[in-house]
Amino acid sequence: MQNSSQKNQFDVAVIGCGVVGAAVARQLAKYRLSVCVLEKENDVAVGTTKANSAIIHAGYDPRPGTLMARLNVRGVELVKELAPKLHFPYQPIGSLILAFSEENMNTVQVLYQRGKHNGVPGLQILSREQVLKMEPRLNPEIKGALYAPSAGIVSPWRMALAFAESAVVNGVTLKRNSPVTGIQKVEGGYCLTIPQGKITARYVVNCTGVDSWATASLLQQPPYEMKPNRGEYYLMDKSAGDTVHHVIFQCPTEVGKGVLVSPTVDGNLIVGPNSEPVSGAGDTGTTAEGLEFVRKMALLSVPGLNWRESIRNFAGVRANTNIDDFQIRELCKGFIDVAGIKSPGLSSAPAIAEYVQELLLRSGLRLLSNPDFREELPEPVRFKELSGDEKAEAIRKNPLYGRIICRCETISEGEMVDALHSPIPPVSIDGIKRRCGAGMGRCQGGFCGPRVHEIIARETGMPMEAVMQDRAGMAIVTGETKCGEGEA
């Protein structure tokens, strides 16, 4: 236990709590260390982590010998191991890389050999007939495909939240609303400036995604350039969820892995993304041109897509750099810069955490095992997934599970209250969405949003106007309106 003079002194400070920062924090919680995580937003996983393709890539795409290649394949193994322990949704449904020409088939051969070199298990090159037998709704003009059975789908924000909660229950300090605005080298480590004051740490790990160059430059300019890149998506209704049963890719190009069509772990269908340079992490708007490109390319893979089933469009910004590999290094003594974590960053996150641990060890951080580390989290109640008898028993123990607030997704008030009293409670309506799924359905929160708003205020004691839609400043109400005398 830290005394009052030590409460802002840590062995390691992790800046940023997206999926990578959360994974690093959990990895460090395995040791007898004081660790804090500084997150600029009011919640975890609200940047690139919440707006991506939600794919666990098999690992055939990265060039052999790169960090991407090494950490992607190891990351897949770790995600498979951690999902049942931390209870985040993960389904290893496999992926298909479609070829539409002999040139594409040559690319498939290259990816097959690359994947074998990287250690990707089970790769197969399939004929047209084999592919259409697996996925009859695909374009019959295909020539063949690369099949990667170890690829999968995941809930990226629930994976990140699980890592972060595991870190917190194992003693890590999470400070939200804490953007780092200054980094100074001091005797024995670093002094970090946040709005609440100063934090000192012997070691620092920078996991700020698209902002990683700017954050590192507070100390020393890093040897890469940040070139943010936006991808736009369609999210389709669950009525379209069984259109395909694997992750469907096209052959990759120099700008990315191309437009995909894939089921999601929640039963929807996701389609996208495009690839467009933007100025920064905040450029998450969608465009008519970008979405039209996604539509055109997706129809090449799956001609029967019904765009009337779209329930939401969104965009995410990739932490792209001028170097085609993860940029993870000790920038200066005791400062680990984790940058350029674009695809397959989600797939690689737990392996990146292991690699950061290696770098910290080499830098002199002493690692003594924490005998009290808890590997697993308690399983949350997912009411709609329970059997009839299990639902009755849950309601008997807590009647709030019998009050369905989100009708589209069958999410109960009990699940929302559980989230609001969890190790990292949400403070916004979208925070509830990320934890429980309320607002993820066809009406996108149009029906349940006001009730969720009330529940957050009631359980947290926050004024209604303090409850945000998502990030700080995204107000829903700003105060109470009163009619004047004689007004209706």
Side-chain angles (χ1 to χ4, degrees):
M1 178 71 70
Q2 295 177 319
N3 62 38
S4 58
S5 64
Q6 296 173 319
K7 65 180 180 179
N8 288 325
Q9 298 175 12
F10 298 89
D11 293 316
V12 184
V14 179
I15 310 175
C17 201
V19 69
V20 174
V24 169
R26 181 183 187 274
Q27 186 69 21
L28 295 176
K30 296 178 180 179
Y31 302 95
R32 293 181 179 179
L33 299 168
S34 59
V35 179
C36 76
V37 181
L38 304 174
E39 169 53 51
K40 73 174 183 177
E41 304 289 356
N42 63 7
D43 202 2
V44 305
V46 299
T48 300
T49 297
K50 79 166 184 180
N52 57 70
S53 302
I55 305 302
I56 299 300
H57 293 282
Y60 50 76
D61 191 57
R63 290 178 292 106
T66 60
L67 271 179
M68 281 182 177
R70 168 186 164 183
L71 299 178
N72 186 166
V73 176
R74 173 60 177 160
V76 174
E77 296 172 1
L78 290 171
V79 169
K80 183 178 180 180
E81 174 188 320
L82 290 169
K85 293 181 179 179
L86 301 181
H87 306 293
F88 58 83
Y90 160 68
Q91 297 172 21
I93 62 174
S95 67
L96 291 164
I97 307 286
L98 306 185
F100 293 94
S101 65
E102 289 306 316
E103 182 181 0
N104 282 173
M105 284 302 295
N106 291 336
T107 300
V108 163
Q109 287 283 352
V110 169
L111 294 174
Y112 174 82
Q113 294 300 330
R114 188 182 292 179
K116 297 290 282 186
H117 190 282
N118 291 346
V120 179
L123 290 174
Q124 299 176 51
I125 296 178
L126 304 181
S127 68
R128 171 184 178 276
E129 290 72 24
Q130 288 173 308
V131 177
L132 292 175
K133 185 175 181 179
M134 293 171 67
E135 292 286 2
R137 291 188 173 96
L138 296 183
N139 187 339
E141 299 301 316
I142 61 172
K143 304 296 183 185
L146 176 65
Y147 174 49
S150 63
I153 54 178
V154 74
S155 169
W157 48 87
R158 283 173 60 183
M159 185 167 100
L161 181 66
F163 292 160
E165 287 193 342
S166 178
V168 168
V169 300
N170 282 294
V172 170
T173 298
L174 172 64
K175 293 180 180 288
R176 292 184 271 183
N177 298 303
S178 298
V180 173
T181 56
I183 304 175
Q184 183 181 2
K185 187 77 174 74
V186 296
E187 184 177 355
Y190 295 88
C191 180
L192 310 178
T193 302
I194 60 175
Q196 301 91 324
K198 305 286 187 181
I199 296 287
T200 59
R202 294 166 53 218
Y203 295 85
V204 175
V205 184
N206 174 27
C207 299
T208 52
V210 180
D211 295 327
S212 57
W213 186 93
T215 301
S217 294
L218 294 171
L219 178 69
Q220 176 180 311
Q221 186 167 314
Y224 56 84
E225 297 175 25
M226 186 59 64
K227 295 184 175 294
N229 188 281
R230 178 173 62 196
E232 301 172 51
Y233 295 87
Y234 284 87
L235 182 66
M236 314 292 271
D237 188 61
K238 289 183 178 181
S239 58
D242 66 350
T243 301
V244 295
H245 301 93
H246 302 78
V247 183
I248 307 300
F249 291 107
Q250 297 166 4
C251 280
T253 68
E254 65 278 0
V255 295
K257 296 179 174 66
V259 172
L260 63 83
V261 180
S262 174
T264 73
V265 292
D266 294 306
N268 301 86
L269 192 76
I270 190 170
V271 183
N274 63 334
S275 179
E276 180 184 8
V278 290
S279 61
D283 288 341
T284 56
T286 57
T287 65
E289 296 79 12
L291 292 172
E292 179 57 32
F293 175 82
V294 169
R295 286 170 57 130
K296 178 180 177 182
M297 296 305 293
L299 289 171
L300 180 62
S301 298
V302 187
L305 287 172
N306 181 1
W307 302 104
R308 295 182 67 182
E309 294 178 312
S310 174
I311 61 173
R312 191 176 187 90
N313 297 117
F314 68 94
V317 179
R318 309 172 182 91
N320 196 43
T321 72
N322 61 323
I323 303 170
D324 189 23
D325 197 5
F326 296 152
Q327 298 298 296
I328 309 174
R329 60 173 60 82
E330 186 173 41
L331 189 62
C332 55
K333 184 65 175 177
F335 186 99
I336 310 300
D337 193 25
V338 183
I341 311 302
K342 60 179 182 179
S343 179
L346 177 66
S347 315
S348 306
I352 291 172
E354 287 185 336
Y355 185 60
V356 167
Q357 177 189 307
E358 289 179 29
L359 295 180
L360 289 168
L361 185 62
R362 288 183 217 163
S363 186
L365 179 63
R366 191 180 182 199
L367 298 176
L368 298 175
S369 293
N370 175 7
D372 299 321
F373 180 77
R374 287 181 276 173
E375 281 280 350
E376 300 188 13
L377 290 174
E379 185 171 6
V381 173
R382 302 289 177 193
F383 187 76
K384 66 182 176 182
E385 298 173 8
L386 301 179
S387 67
D389 288 344
E390 289 170 332
K391 287 177 179 176
E393 178 62 16
I395 293 169
R396 186 188 68 78
K397 291 180 178 178
N398 182 356
L400 293 181
Y401 291 126
R403 299 178 187 172
I404 301 303
I405 304 299
C406 175
R407 296 181 180 181
C408 296
E409 294 295 304
T410 320
I411 309 299
S412 69
E413 184 172 355
E415 293 162 85
M416 298 178 191
V417 171
D418 289 346
L420 288 162
H421 296 278
S422 67
I424 306 175
V427 295
S428 68
I429 291 178
D430 282 2
I432 287 284
K433 179 198 291 188
R434 287 188 287 274
R435 286 158 177 81
C436 304
M440 286 285 290
R442 183 173 294 184
C443 85
Q444 288 291 289
F447 177 81
C448 66
R451 186 73 182 104
V452 174
H453 192 166
E454 293 172 356
I455 292 168
I456 294 171
R458 182 194 73 205
E459 292 297 317
T460 64
M462 296 167 61
M464 291 285 283
E465 58 267 28
V467 178
M468 298 290 107
Q469 179 66 44
D470 193 4
R471 292 170 159 143
M474 297 177 64
I476 304 165
V477 296
T478 57
E480 184 177 352
T481 300
K482 296 182 179 180
C483 294
E485 186 175 344
E487 293 181 1

